[in-house]
Amino acid sequence: MTTHTATTEKTGARTDEAAALIGDSRERIDALDDRIIGLIQERMAVSAVIQEARISSGGRRVNLNREMEVLGHYRDALGKPGTTLAMTMLELCRGRI
C-alpha cells in the first residue's frame, strides 16, 4: 500500500491535499474535544460544590428552575440538539456528592 493510498483511505479523501487538510483538522478537533472534556469535568466539580452547599443548608440536590435555565440557554445557542447536549451534561453533573 502506498502512502497516498494509506492516507486517503484513513481520511476518506481522494487527494493528498484533502487528506492533509482532513488530518490537520482532525488534530484540531481532538484538541478541542480534550478541552471540552476538561471543561465538563470542571463544571462537574463546581456543580458538586453547589449541590453540597444546597443539601447541607436543607435544600434539594437539584434545582429544577436552574436546570430549565441551562436547557433554554443551550437550546437558544445550539437549537434542538443543544437541549439534548444540555440534558446529558446536567445528568453528568447530578448526584456526584
Side-chain angles (χ1 to χ4, degrees), residues 43 47-48 50-51 54 60-76 82-96:
R43 190 189 193 287
S47 182
I50 291 168
Q51 290 175 54
R54 191 181 301 117
R60 294 181 173 195
R61 179 175 53 91
V62 175
N63 180 331
L64 295 179
N65 289 332
R66 173 61 180 153
E67 288 197 356
M68 294 305 294
E69 289 175 13
V70 171
L71 291 170
H73 180 69
Y74 275 72
R75 181 191 61 243
D76 292 346
T83 303
T84 303
L85 178 62
M87 286 295 296
T88 300
M89 185 195 53
L90 289 169
E91 183 180 342
L92 285 169
C93 292
R94 282 189 208 119
R96 297 293 179 181

Side-chain angles (χ1 to χ4, degrees), residues 2 4 6 8 13 22-24 28 33 41-42 44 46 49 51 53 67 69 72 76 81-82 84 86 89-90 94 96:
T2 66
H4 170 78
T8 56
I22 291 168
D24 291 345
R28 287 184 62 204
D33 285 343
Q41 289 170 332
E42 184 178 346
M44 291 167 66
V46 172
V49 169
Q51 290 175 54
E67 288 197 356
E69 289 175 13
D76 292 346
T84 303
M89 185 195 53
L90 289 169
R94 282 189 208 119
R96 297 293 179 181

